[in-house]
Amino acid sequence: MAPTDGLPPLRAVIAEHGLSARKALGQNFLLDLNLTAKIARQAGDLSACDVLEVGPGPGGLTRGLLAEGARRVLAVEKDARCLPVLEEIRTAYPGRLEIVHGDALAVDPMDHLAPPLRIVSNLPYNVGTELLTRWLEPPAWPPAWTSLTLMFQREVAERIVAAPGSKAYGRLAVLSQWRADARIVMDLPPEAFTPPPKVRSSVVHVVAREAPKFPAEAKTLFRVTKAAFGQRRKMLRASLKGVAPDIEDRLVAAGIAPTDRAERLSLEAFCALAREVARP
Ligand code: SAM
């Protein structure tokens, strides 16, 4: 089907601009505009929102977001080769696309955008979890964003939505589920991308809650989960030794057996432990 935005099909764009995918930049492009529009729709109504897109590449998802009515899109791209293509999209959608050439890890979107903000991206795998962790870790809550709609390798998506006791359960699950609700909304086979990656991918939709599910101090919860899952096979009394000298007493006070292991602890139990650890 021909694109409805008057811009050339993505395969033609790639060929014309010589955009051969670079592995070091995590480049696996989505060239089907029906698919990118479908991903954009997973983010909900975009008409009253500004959107941050990390890594627009040749702009397939960017075009999806704009066609689906995003108020404004900030696209942060590291690869200078993509800038002329993105410039053409900017011209097709006057006043609605801002392009920043740079590293998303070093750009503060709030210098460019206004709330409410949604983040929608087909993330480069090499910085995906680092960005997600940063978005989930601000000390104050609710954060600047209302939702994240992000493409990950399936294995990372499973870690985000994992339940206690499962193999995928870890710090990412606790961080994602404490102050937000996360679910997998789409699965994509390798063939959906050019070039196809080795693994399946999934889109995760994360909605920021107004308040955390259980009370805890963010700083302490993050410290406790880092130590506990840093040595996930060890008993908590050993893995958390460095967190507090009297950690066994604090574990017991939180209703947790010191011989238990991090992977079996519920979110509620981690929050109870963080409260005990924060106690003077
Ligand atoms: N959004 C496009 C799509 O869906 O076809 C491209 C997605 S591709 C998986 C990831 C994109 O992120 C690439 O365009 C890559 O150049 C860009 N990228 C990689 N590291 C980046 C970083 N640190 N900051 C901004 N963009 C980055």
Side-chain angles (χ1 to χ4, degrees):
M1 207 171 75
T4 53
D5 54 13
L7 291 160
L10 282 156
R11 280 193 194 283
V13 170
I14 298 263
E16 189 193 330
H17 293 267
L19 290 179
S20 51
R22 295 201 172 143
K23 213 172 166 186
L25 286 168
Q27 293 184 335
N28 298 99
F29 300 135
L30 290 167
L31 302 184
D32 177 348
L33 289 165
N34 291 316
L35 187 57
T36 60
K38 191 171 167 195
I39 295 167
R41 285 197 293 276
Q42 304 300 320
D45 181 8
L46 299 174
S47 61
C49 292
D50 281 5
V51 176
L52 166 66
E53 186 194 0
V54 172
L61 184 55
T62 321
R63 287 164 66 172
L65 291 164
L66 290 163
E68 290 301 314
R71 181 172 71 189
R72 268 167 55 76
V73 176
L74 171 69
V76 182
E77 175 55 61
K78 200 170 175 181
D79 186 352
R81 297 177 308 154
C82 300
L83 301 180
V85 180
L86 296 168
E87 204 47 54
E88 284 170 20
I89 303 173
R90 197 167 73 89
T91 307
Y93 289 94
R96 291 176 57 202
L97 176 62
E98 185 179 347
I99 304 154
V100 170
H101 177 216
D103 184 342
L105 292 167
V107 173
D108 182 351
M110 297 327 279
D111 290 345
H112 304 262
L113 300 174
L117 167 69
R118 292 187 192 269
I119 302 178
V120 186
S121 304
N122 174 12
L123 288 174
Y125 74 91
N126 44 350
V127 288
T129 39
E130 167 70 22
L131 282 167
L132 175 63
T133 307
R134 285 189 190 192
W135 291 327
L136 292 169
E137 276 191 346
W141 203 265
W145 51 269
T146 55
S147 70
L148 313 171
T149 307
L150 306 172
M151 177 93 69
F152 289 103
Q153 299 168 50
R154 173 84 199 176
E155 172 261 326
V156 177
E158 280 169 356
R159 280 165 50 205
I160 295 168
V161 302
S166 66
K167 228 174 97 192
Y169 185 64
R171 190 160 185 265
L172 211 48
V174 174
L175 290 187
S176 308
Q177 297 171 33
W178 176 45
R179 301 188 288 189
D181 294 308
R183 64 200 168 91
I184 293 177
V185 291
M186 267 175 88
D187 284 322
L188 286 91
E191 314 81 78
F193 302 85
T194 302
K198 287 201 174 67
V199 291
R200 292 181 66 79
S201 302
S202 298
V203 177
V204 182
H205 187 60
V206 181
V207 179
R209 296 170 70 94
E210 274 304 305
K213 282 182 196 138
F214 307 103
E217 199 184 68
K219 195 170 61 134
T220 315
L221 181 65
F222 300 157
R223 192 156 62 93
V224 165
T225 50
K226 200 170 199 163
F229 287 109
Q231 297 175 294
R232 58 185 292 138
R233 305 241 170 273
K234 284 200 175 167
M235 290 180 191
L236 289 163
R237 68 177 176 207
S239 60
L240 295 177
K241 228 190 213 149
V243 168
D246 53 352
I247 194 65
E248 287 217 35
D249 295 344
R250 293 181 192 250
L251 281 160
V252 172
I256 301 163
T259 50
D260 218 340
R261 290 177 167 76
E263 56 204 10
R264 288 180 9 98
L265 233 55
S266 68
L267 176 60
E268 189 171 7
F270 268 117
C271 292
L273 178 57
R275 292 196 300 275
E276 282 304 325
V277 167
R279 229 183 268 287

